[in-house]
Amino acid sequence: AYARQHPGLALHVAELILPPAEAHVGRARRLLMDAACRRLQASHHPHAFIASTDADTCVAPTWLAAIRAEVQAGADAVGGRILTRAANPACPVRRCQLLDATYHVLRSQLEHLLDPDEADPWPRHHQHFGASLAVTAAGYRQVGGLPAVPYLEDEALFRALRRHDLRVRHSPQVRVYTSDRQQGRVAVGLSWQLREWAGLLQHGHEPLVDHPAQLISHWQTRRRLRELWRTTQAGAPVATQAAGLAAVGPVAAALLVPPPDLWRQVRQSASFGELWEWVEAQRQAQLASHGPWPHLPLRAAVALLRQEIARLMPAAT
């Protein structure tokens, strides 16, 4: 109906039946984004981008223009702010959702203070999900397309972008408004998260989140490792293997990984994203059994994040 009212719109419709093993959101979004990428590359436009949203989501009137502005400023991908529509602020789950959003925005601000990303300066947010996720055609091709996984395909694409050191912008100017329904079509998503919070609150429990002390150590160490990787990639001479191990020793200790393994990976990794993905995989098993910081209730973590940001702000300015 919209296409009939707007003859200038080139509307493409594809209908197909997928095998049961492939009948999931990851495969469907992959097919759509692949088709979009082919058309955009044929246009040879230097700033061509694929913009993704969801069926239960309404984009802001400025959505495409705001994405385009970020792409023209140098972003390879843009995550938009995802807000819920017509939600009751008195609802316990809604209050929990708002507190969780506060926690993640404060996390982003603290991360900016400790390990700034020139491609994603403050102010920024934390979301890079399918309801508002855009990527340039060139960037999409570079990472090999969207991973066709049954759920969390948006997170998988974000990890691929990071693995290739592409510039990802979490733009506050890019906004969409989505449903707050608790029954969705995927195993893990916003509806699943809302149900999880509802279950916790029903039993008088508060969500647990990462301890700010762990985040601070994590980002400070990542910054040191990035500097070390850049120095190594620039061809700085290391006299001996022992000297290399000594250089990575303090970082390896903080990351809970063996120094020889880390030094080898520093030299072999073609991108910092590739190196950090390896580090994260190594750390997960260690943190599960040797994690020095317990998870905190959401409200306590928000209070600590505010304290740390207030402590760091004078030094940052």
Side-chain angles (χ1 to χ4, degrees), residues 93-266:
V93 176
R94 173 61 171 165
R95 293 200 302 269
C96 185
Q97 181 187 10
L98 292 173
L99 189 62
D100 179 78
T102 300
Y103 166 77
H104 280 95
V105 170
L106 291 172
R107 273 184 57 147
S108 296
Q109 186 176 9
L110 183 60
E111 181 180 12
H112 165 75
L113 292 170
L114 295 173
D115 186 18
D117 180 355
E118 64 178 15
D120 197 19
W122 183 258
R124 69 188 193 209
H125 57 83
H126 60 286
Q127 295 172 307
H128 40 256
F129 307 132
S132 184
L133 181 59
V135 58
T136 64
Y140 186 76
R141 285 296 189 199
Q142 184 173 341
V143 302
L146 179 82
V149 293
Y151 53 86
L152 297 182
E153 75 288 348
D154 40 17
E155 285 280 6
L157 177 58
F158 174 74
R159 290 194 299 272
L161 293 165
R162 287 298 198 203
R163 190 182 308 127
H164 287 79
D165 283 353
L166 295 184
R167 297 167 63 89
V168 181
R169 174 71 175 131
H170 295 88
S171 175
Q173 304 305 317
V174 180
R175 294 190 173 198
V176 302
Y177 301 86
T178 195
S179 169
D180 63 347
R181 59 187 175 139
Q182 294 186 25
Q183 299 300 321
R185 297 182 180 180
V186 296
V188 179
L190 177 59
S191 59
W192 168 85
Q193 183 63 80
L194 293 173
R195 290 197 307 273
E196 289 289 302
W197 285 333
L200 285 172
L201 295 171
Q202 185 177 4
H203 292 88
H205 301 307
E206 188 174 349
L208 298 177
V209 294
D210 289 334
H211 197 297
Q214 179 177 331
L215 298 175
I216 292 170
S217 174
H218 182 77
W219 292 324
Q220 288 176 332
T221 307
R222 185 178 65 187
R223 183 173 185 171
R224 292 164 61 192
L225 182 61
R226 183 184 291 106
E227 293 169 352
L228 177 62
W229 176 82
R230 285 175 174 169
T231 300
T232 304
Q233 293 296 307
V238 178
T240 64
Q241 175 76 2
L245 292 175
V248 302
V251 179
L255 294 174
L256 304 176
V257 297
D261 294 348
L262 180 60
W263 177 235
R264 181 178 63 254
Q265 200 67 29
V266 165

Side-chain angles (χ1 to χ4, degrees), residues 12-16 31-32 35 39:
H12 300 268
V13 178
E15 185 174 353
L16 68 160
L31 290 170
L32 288 164
R39 295 194 180 110

Side-chain angles (χ1 to χ4, degrees), residues 6 32 56 62 71 74 76-77 82 112-113 120 138 181 214 224 244 258 266 269 298 300 302 310 312 314:
H6 300 82
L32 288 164
D56 62 352
T62 57
V71 170
D76 297 301
I82 303 169
H112 165 75
L113 292 170
D120 197 19
R181 59 187 175 139
Q214 179 177 331
R224 292 164 61 192
V266 165
S269 296
L298 185 55
V302 166
L312 291 169

